[in-house]
Amino acid sequence: MCSTKNPMPKLPLKVRFLIAAHSMSVDAVSRPGGSAVNRRLMSLFDPKASPSTKPDKGVVSSDIMVDTTRKLWFRLYTNTATSGPHDGQTDTPIIVYFHGGGFAFMAANSINYDDLCKRLAREIPAVVVSVNYRLSPEHRFPSQYEDGFDVLKFIDNSDIDGFPAFGSSKKPFFVAGDSAGGNLAHHVALRACQHRFSRLNLGGVIALQPFFGGEERTESELKLVGVPLISVKRTDWMWKAFLPEGCDRDHQVVNVFGPNSVDISELPFPATLVVMGGFDPLQDWQKKYVEGLKKSGKQVHTVEYPNTFHGFYAFPELPESPLLLAEIKTFVHNHLPH
């Protein structure tokens, strides 16, 4: 049970079962010290979805290879209602999405992420690019950030089958992600805001319960014990598996506004939407992130759902899930060029 005064609302049976299965699988496949993941065993607990060549409630998807040598690819989602030849498709924003999983688990074609990206494509509406980046500990920092930025350059420089046509003006895009993917979105945006794209224009960052940390133990980490999915033991393992040997959690990519952080005040970093949950042990780090962005003079919008746990957005049956999609839609449309 959570050790806060107000207990977390009871979850539907299906949600509780899926959370228990995921937590058990992560613990079962994680070898001590962040040294390895049993991928074969993990595949049994992480079912994959095939691309939707026929419209699924108006959304079709396909897999696009970026680099065969590192098996870097993305799943492209397009909304058939906004992809006709004469319907102003060049105004449809692109959302480049990075899945969560502590940098070590899940994939772009994991069923929960396939469903989430279809919902984004359908309801924003948007062209969604879900990046299948390399995983730790086989591939440690900075592999994931390099993969994310290389996908942006690939989109900017390639004519991609099934991708909506570029118009005469630059096409707006947003980098987005949840948990570790939210961390990725921040760091890829740092690179993107300093890069001159020929056909893309960075509109914003969407960080859903982003995964940040540090050597300090925050109040929420200490108090929120026994909540779904996140524990200090698991997050410590994930950072150890992700960071280069010898680095601690005050590394600048973990503690982004900590003692080793990089000053971003002079960079053209875009507006950021940060989503937090009241039963997420990472919420204090997310609040530090918001404070850091504000102190750096950056525009930041926050949304807090007091009754949600880490990863709630993966469950469309929860009441906050459609509310979140509405918030993302508002943020995206408010930050499109006018």
Side-chain angles (χ1 to χ4, degrees):
M1 288 292 294
C2 175
S3 59
T4 56
K5 292 181 180 179
N6 299 314
M8 191 173 72
K10 189 173 182 179
L11 299 172
L13 180 61
K14 177 186 174 183
V15 174
R16 283 184 282 154
F17 173 78
L18 292 172
I19 288 171
H22 180 78
S23 299
M24 181 186 71
S25 65
V26 166
D27 292 341
V29 305
S30 304
R31 293 177 182 167
S35 60
V37 170
N38 186 331
R39 296 291 175 198
R40 182 174 294 180
L41 180 58
M42 188 63 201
S43 67
L44 301 176
F45 296 95
D46 182 19
K48 302 299 196 294
S50 299
S52 299
T53 54
K54 295 181 179 179
D56 179 359
K57 297 179 182 177
V59 174
V60 295
S61 60
S62 59
D63 292 341
I64 309 295
M65 183 60 69
V66 176
D67 184 351
T68 56
T69 61
R70 52 181 152 154
K71 298 179 181 177
L72 174 61
W73 57 273
F74 62 83
R75 179 159 290 181
L76 173 66
Y77 299 84
T78 54
N79 187 321
T80 56
T82 61
S83 58
H86 305 294
D87 59 6
Q89 63 183 358
T90 53
D91 295 330
T92 305
I94 301 168
I95 295 178
V96 179
Y97 194 88
F98 301 105
H99 67 81
F103 302 104
F105 305 103
M106 311 302 284
N109 58 348
S110 294
I111 282 181
N112 281 350
Y113 284 109
D114 185 67
D115 178 68
L116 176 60
C117 288
K118 284 178 180 176
R119 288 157 59 201
L120 289 170
R122 188 180 300 123
E123 297 183 36
I124 301 304
V127 176
V128 179
V129 171
S130 183
V131 181
N132 198 71
Y133 55 85
R134 289 171 289 176
L135 300 177
S136 62
E138 297 92 334
H139 305 281
R140 295 175 181 262
F141 164 83
S143 299
Q144 293 78 6
Y145 302 147
E146 291 171 347
D147 289 352
F149 188 58
D150 285 350
V151 165
L152 294 184
K153 292 189 292 184
F154 180 84
I155 295 169
D156 194 48
N157 296 318
S158 305
D159 292 322
I160 303 166
D161 186 32
F163 204 91
F166 286 91
S168 56
S169 59
K170 290 187 177 183
K171 197 169 183 67
F173 78 98
F174 296 77
V175 285
D178 67 283
S179 194
N183 178 299
L184 264 167
H186 169 82
H187 289 290
V188 170
L190 277 180
R191 297 188 183 195
C193 74
Q194 301 174 75
H195 181 78
R196 186 181 295 274
F197 292 100
S198 61
R199 302 191 296 181
L200 296 173
N201 180 35
L202 179 58
V205 176
I206 301 165
L208 311 181
Q209 297 179 298
F211 185 26
F212 298 115
E215 285 296 301
E216 171 195 356
R217 296 300 188 200
T218 65
E219 183 180 356
S220 61
E221 286 176 310
L222 294 173
K223 284 189 173 183
L224 290 168
V225 176
V227 294
L229 298 176
I230 291 292
S231 68
V232 167
K233 180 181 178 182
R234 286 193 191 117
T235 56
D236 281 359
W237 185 95
M238 290 168 177
W239 289 127
K240 195 168 185 64
F242 172 71
L243 290 169
E245 295 288 343
C247 294
D248 65 22
R249 295 189 304 275
D250 279 333
H251 191 286
Q252 65 188 46
V253 300
V254 182
N255 195 350
V256 290
F257 291 109
N260 303 310
S261 62
V262 175
D263 181 12
I264 68 169
S265 58
E266 299 301 317
L267 298 179
F269 195 80
T272 303
L273 173 66
V274 181
V275 176
M276 295 173 279
F279 287 89
D280 182 0
L282 298 176
Q283 64 183 277
D284 285 348
W285 288 113
Q286 294 153 7
K287 291 172 182 176
K288 289 176 185 287
Y289 175 60
V290 170
E291 292 168 7
L293 288 174
K294 289 180 177 179
K295 288 179 180 178
S296 299
K298 308 308 173 189
Q299 186 180 356
V300 58
H301 307 266
T302 60
V303 179
E304 296 185 56
Y305 297 106
N307 292 326
T308 55
F309 57 91
H310 191 87
F312 73 93
Y313 36 80
F315 303 97
E317 54 266 65
L318 296 180
E320 292 85 358
S321 191
L323 298 178
L324 171 62
L325 287 177
E327 292 284 357
I328 295 173
K329 179 175 183 176
T330 298
F331 176 80
V332 167
H333 287 272
N334 284 347
H335 292 89
L336 291 174
H338 298 290

